[in-house]
């Protein structure tokens, strides 16, 4: 039995847009992918300025939000993987964030 392999290249991220309910990423191969913001609780609980403060990592293979300590890979987006953060970790992060905002 012959098994052929296909090399799959993950495109790089380009422009990133975060709205109240959607994360949209333009890819280097011409596609645009949009996923529910609900997949990434830290982005859901961010203010507009935090959502807009992102940078590409790994030559465009990932997106990092330094104010939120959030990292999302293009590969994960394409595979349809939501955040893998545990509920306990998220609760701790949210508690610290809210304390810092004086809420």
């Amino acid at each position: 039995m012959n098994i052929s392999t296909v090399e799959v290249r993950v495109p790089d991220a380009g422009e990133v847009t975060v709205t109240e309910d959607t994360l949209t990423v333009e890819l280097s191969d011409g596609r645009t992918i949009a996923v529910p913001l609900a997949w990434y609780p830290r982005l859901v609980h961010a203010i507009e300025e935090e959502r807009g403060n992102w940078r590409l990592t790994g030559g465009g293979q990932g997106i990092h939000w330094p104010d939120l300590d959030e990292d999302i890979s293009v590969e994960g987006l394409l595979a349809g993987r939501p955040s893998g953060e545990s509920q306990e970790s998220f609760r701790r992060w949210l508690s610290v964030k809210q304390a810092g905002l004086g809420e």
Side-chain angles (χ1 to χ4, degrees):
M1 174 163 88
N2 291 334
I3 299 175
S4 64
T5 60
V6 176
E7 182 179 334
V8 176
R9 184 185 173 290
V10 175
D12 295 329
E15 189 60 33
V16 175
T17 306
V18 184
T19 66
E20 289 294 318
D21 60 0
T22 306
L23 168 63
T24 304
V25 181
E26 293 182 24
L27 302 175
S28 61
D29 64 3
R31 288 181 286 174
T32 300
I33 186 165
V35 299
L37 201 63
W39 285 7
Y40 306 102
R42 290 186 185 208
L43 290 173
V44 169
H45 290 274
I47 60 174
E48 185 176 345
E49 291 80 15
E50 292 169 327
R51 290 177 181 165
N53 183 24
W54 55 270
R55 65 181 174 86
L56 298 177
T57 59
Q61 290 296 292
I63 310 154
H64 176 67
W65 284 264
D67 299 334
L68 306 171
D69 194 25
E70 179 72 270
D71 293 281
I72 300 173
S73 70
V74 173
E75 182 178 18
L77 288 171
L78 290 170
R81 284 194 301 264
S83 173
E85 183 173 22
S86 72
Q87 286 295 315
E88 181 58 32
S89 172
F90 174 70
R91 278 194 283 278
R92 282 193 310 267
W93 174 84
L94 187 58
S95 175
V96 169
K97 178 177 174 39
Q98 290 174 338
L101 294 175
E103 294 181 9

